[in-house]
Amino acid sequence: MTLRRSPLIAIAALVLAACASAPAVAPVAHTDAFATASAARPQFSAQNLSDHIKYLASDELEGRFPGLIGERLTLAYLQRQYETLGLEPGGRDGSWLQPVDLVRFRPERAPTATWTGANGVTHPLVSGEDITLRAGPADPVLKIADAPLVFAGYGVVAPERGWDDYGSTDLTGKVVVVLRGQPAVMGEDPNFYGSSTHKTQEALERGAVGVITLQTDDGRWRRSVGGATRAQMTIKGAKDTRFTGAINIQTATAIAGAGFADVLARAQTAGLGGAFDMNARLSVDIAETTEVIHSNNLLAKIPGTQRPDEYVIYSAHWDHVGKASQPDANGDDIYNGAWDNASGTAGLIEMARVFKNGPAPERTVVFLHVTAEEQGLLGSEAYAADPVYPLAKTAANINIDMLPFTPATRDVAVFGVGKSELEDILGRFAAVQGRMVTGDGYPEEGFYYRSDHFNFAAGGVPALMPWTGRDFIKGGIAEGKPYYEGQMARYYHQLSDEWRADYDFTAALQNLDLLYRLGLTVADSTDWPAWKPTAEFNTIRNATADQRR
């Protein structure tokens, strides 16, 4: 595949060259997308952002945990804001809400497990020492006897990268063991193929009843053990394997035998092309208690004037993590979540206000507030599984999770830089601000796969999420990097993340201006932004190409 030069980007070079030196003018009639976006003069308000954050992060909302009083107050506040702005409800049948039923589950008792070798001898596996196990919410009390065990390397199928661990393997009724992460040949930075989403999808398609992750690193294994007893959440009715778990290298070797070392080494350098039979059967007995939590996404929209059945979606998660199990030394027990993500929620409300006061978009623009991001991107997963607006007809997702609270920066940091043409469009507008699009600075963290835009990307929709820049106009990286890292250490998921009167909204206002121009550009174009040829979501998007003609 060759990289086409998008009409969106070609127009940008011409229009922005002209508008960079042009005096400010009133909005003009639409001649093309970039002319409209460049002529617009959006006015974002730091005071509005602060006021929204102050309420959303107030103690009254008790940390905005899904299903509790914080959800009711948050959604009522959002609806009032959109009604005041004159937006339309964006849900089905004229509703503001998209119901999302969540299932929270926790172990009722320690699970038990055994494996039986080809010689018929059965061996116990000690929970927390040899194996960890969690039942899925569809079968919270689960017994499986003598399920065949197979090893499938990384569990990755990526034909465009020449990697296939499964071949024609049928996993019906089997438990598949897969390595954590991704093959080294795909680079050190995490990608979609290393995600649990991809591995689960591949296992489900082949009929697996369970997926067990092989942790070859002692530190990762200890984290698996630590997380195995905590409450977890998922979407009610979500397709999943019947159970998941983890084993360490000692357990895997004991089950598969000494020759497993050679298979493991081969699996780490090339796709297996077919699962390796471990010549053993696994029996498990797991019991979890479950609780259904009724939650909601909230949607508002501005209908498109020319192509109302095509969409640009701005998103942000409204939830946070609720209350601490016990107060701190100051008596504070509320995770107010001002930065994460009252700030992004406030940014979406402001984005809607600016859109409503500006030129009417040709495509429908949707403002989507999702639930349960902090529980595993569940609100956006529920949306992508049952989209109100078809993913095939969604031109872009622009996600706002934690606005930057910094002085002006030279960089416009985005997660997963190099994935889509959205970055190229954004870069044209950033250049007018004297800025440039860069990565987030921590590629090894795989941040692209850790916020709500990921579920849009996994559904094929080009998705972009900006982040906090670190190259300050005054002081450069030398000042910006420790400033940002200090903010993260002090506030991220801490009780101290409360509204402050001294927020520096300079970079936030710069970024919102760019994201408005990006969204309006895509909304007013007949073109569809594309993934870059190296992006792992191309195949998914291409499968629906006939719906965008």
Side-chain angles (χ1 to χ4, degrees), residues 8 44 49 65 145 162 194 210 217 245 303-304 317 363 485 508:
L8 283 165
F44 289 94
L49 291 172
F65 194 84
D217 176 82
H317 73 91
R363 283 173 167 149
E485 292 180 351

mmCIF file of all heavy atoms in Angstrom, residues 8 44 49 65 145 162 194 210 217 245 303-304 317 363 485 508:
data_model
loop_
_atom_site.group_PDB
_atom_site.id
_atom_site.type_symbol
_atom_site.label_atom_id
_atom_site.label_comp_id
_atom_site.label_asym_id
_atom_site.label_seq_id
_atom_site.Cartn_x
_atom_site.Cartn_y
_atom_site.Cartn_z
ATOM 1 N N LEU A 8 -7.580 16.400 2.350
ATOM 2 C CA LEU A 8 -7.638 17.202 3.562
ATOM 3 C C LEU A 8 -6.302 17.890 3.823
ATOM 4 O O LEU A 8 -6.232 19.063 4.171
ATOM 5 C CB LEU A 8 -7.978 16.315 4.761
ATOM 6 C CG LEU A 8 -9.424 15.868 4.935
ATOM 7 C CD1 LEU A 8 -9.484 14.718 5.929
ATOM 8 C CD2 LEU A 8 -10.283 17.014 5.394
ATOM 9 N N PHE A 44 -12.418 30.144 23.475
ATOM 10 C CA PHE A 44 -12.572 29.275 24.629
ATOM 11 C C PHE A 44 -12.326 30.076 25.903
ATOM 12 O O PHE A 44 -11.482 30.969 25.929
ATOM 13 C CB PHE A 44 -11.607 28.089 24.541
ATOM 14 C CG PHE A 44 -11.980 27.096 23.471
ATOM 15 C CD1 PHE A 44 -11.432 27.186 22.201
ATOM 16 C CD2 PHE A 44 -12.878 26.086 23.739
ATOM 17 C CE1 PHE A 44 -11.777 26.281 21.211
ATOM 18 C CE2 PHE A 44 -13.233 25.170 22.756
ATOM 19 C CZ PHE A 44 -12.686 25.273 21.497
ATOM 20 N N LEU A 49 -14.034 26.871 31.933
ATOM 21 C CA LEU A 49 -13.382 25.605 32.272
ATOM 22 C C LEU A 49 -13.246 25.466 33.780
ATOM 23 O O LEU A 49 -13.566 24.419 34.361
ATOM 24 C CB LEU A 49 -12.004 25.517 31.611
ATOM 25 C CG LEU A 49 -11.958 25.384 30.093
ATOM 26 C CD1 LEU A 49 -10.523 25.514 29.594
ATOM 27 C CD2 LEU A 49 -12.540 24.044 29.641
ATOM 28 N N PHE A 65 -18.207 8.080 41.069
ATOM 29 C CA PHE A 65 -18.140 6.645 40.790
ATOM 30 C C PHE A 65 -19.425 6.210 40.087
ATOM 31 O O PHE A 65 -20.524 6.640 40.444
ATOM 32 C CB PHE A 65 -17.959 5.838 42.076
ATOM 33 C CG PHE A 65 -17.553 4.415 41.826
ATOM 34 C CD1 PHE A 65 -16.223 4.086 41.622
ATOM 35 C CD2 PHE A 65 -18.498 3.402 41.761
ATOM 36 C CE1 PHE A 65 -15.843 2.769 41.370
ATOM 37 C CE2 PHE A 65 -18.137 2.088 41.511
ATOM 38 C CZ PHE A 65 -16.798 1.772 41.316
ATOM 39 N N ALA A 145 -13.546 -29.218 33.733
ATOM 40 C CA ALA A 145 -12.724 -30.394 33.971
ATOM 41 C C ALA A 145 -11.990 -30.809 32.705
ATOM 42 O O ALA A 145 -12.586 -30.890 31.628
ATOM 43 C CB ALA A 145 -13.587 -31.547 34.475
ATOM 44 N N GLY A 162 3.521 -10.187 8.866
ATOM 45 C CA GLY A 162 4.150 -11.491 8.698
ATOM 46 C C GLY A 162 4.179 -12.328 9.954
ATOM 47 O O GLY A 162 5.101 -13.136 10.140
ATOM 48 N N GLY A 194 -0.234 -6.437 21.069
ATOM 49 C CA GLY A 194 0.172 -6.869 22.402
ATOM 50 C C GLY A 194 -0.901 -6.692 23.445
ATOM 51 O O GLY A 194 -0.705 -7.065 24.607
ATOM 52 N N GLY A 210 -10.776 -20.514 27.947
ATOM 53 C CA GLY A 210 -9.971 -19.756 28.895
ATOM 54 C C GLY A 210 -8.697 -19.253 28.240
ATOM 55 O O GLY A 210 -8.183 -19.869 27.300
ATOM 56 N N ASP A 217 8.385 -12.634 33.538
ATOM 57 C CA ASP A 217 9.105 -11.675 34.378
ATOM 58 C C ASP A 217 8.554 -11.758 35.804
ATOM 59 O O ASP A 217 7.345 -11.713 36.023
ATOM 60 C CB ASP A 217 8.915 -10.257 33.824
ATOM 61 C CG ASP A 217 9.540 -9.197 34.693
ATOM 62 O OD1 ASP A 217 10.764 -8.986 34.583
ATOM 63 O OD2 ASP A 217 8.799 -8.571 35.493
ATOM 64 N N GLY A 245 -6.517 -16.006 33.487
ATOM 65 C CA GLY A 245 -5.572 -16.255 34.563
ATOM 66 C C GLY A 245 -4.156 -15.977 34.136
ATOM 67 O O GLY A 245 -3.898 -15.409 33.065
ATOM 68 N N PRO A 303 -26.524 18.481 14.625
ATOM 69 C CA PRO A 303 -26.730 17.774 13.356
ATOM 70 C C PRO A 303 -25.989 18.450 12.204
ATOM 71 O O PRO A 303 -25.899 19.681 12.136
ATOM 72 C CB PRO A 303 -28.242 17.836 13.151
ATOM 73 C CG PRO A 303 -28.799 18.056 14.515
ATOM 74 C CD PRO A 303 -27.790 18.906 15.226
ATOM 75 N N GLY A 304 -25.448 17.627 11.309
ATOM 76 C CA GLY A 304 -24.769 18.153 10.136
ATOM 77 C C GLY A 304 -25.736 18.769 9.143
ATOM 78 O O GLY A 304 -26.861 18.290 8.981
ATOM 79 N N HIS A 317 -14.250 10.984 29.389
ATOM 80 C CA HIS A 317 -14.925 10.189 30.419
ATOM 81 C C HIS A 317 -15.287 11.084 31.597
ATOM 82 O O HIS A 317 -14.501 11.909 32.048
ATOM 83 C CB HIS A 317 -14.083 8.980 30.844
ATOM 84 C CG HIS A 317 -12.872 9.261 31.683
ATOM 85 N ND1 HIS A 317 -12.916 9.278 33.065
ATOM 86 C CD2 HIS A 317 -11.582 9.501 31.356
ATOM 87 C CE1 HIS A 317 -11.703 9.507 33.541
ATOM 88 N NE2 HIS A 317 -10.875 9.654 32.529
ATOM 89 N N ARG A 363 -20.950 17.686 8.645
ATOM 90 C CA ARG A 363 -21.190 16.380 9.255
ATOM 91 C C ARG A 363 -21.728 16.608 10.672
ATOM 92 O O ARG A 363 -21.474 17.640 11.292
ATOM 93 C CB ARG A 363 -19.902 15.568 9.329
ATOM 94 C CG ARG A 363 -19.476 14.936 8.007
ATOM 95 C CD ARG A 363 -18.102 14.294 8.100
ATOM 96 N NE ARG A 363 -17.828 13.443 6.946
ATOM 97 C CZ ARG A 363 -16.613 13.239 6.431
ATOM 98 N NH1 ARG A 363 -15.541 13.826 6.961
ATOM 99 N NH2 ARG A 363 -16.469 12.453 5.386
ATOM 100 N N GLU A 485 6.070 15.877 35.286
ATOM 101 C CA GLU A 485 6.218 14.692 36.117
ATOM 102 C C GLU A 485 5.883 14.993 37.573
ATOM 103 O O GLU A 485 5.355 14.132 38.288
ATOM 104 C CB GLU A 485 7.629 14.121 35.977
ATOM 105 C CG GLU A 485 7.874 13.539 34.583
ATOM 106 C CD GLU A 485 9.265 12.969 34.404
ATOM 107 O OE1 GLU A 485 10.120 13.173 35.306
ATOM 108 O OE2 GLU A 485 9.515 12.315 33.367
ATOM 109 N N ALA A 508 -3.979 24.482 27.748
ATOM 110 C CA ALA A 508 -5.298 23.894 27.542
ATOM 111 C C ALA A 508 -6.084 24.676 26.496
ATOM 112 O O ALA A 508 -6.707 24.090 25.602
ATOM 113 C CB ALA A 508 -6.071 23.853 28.860
#
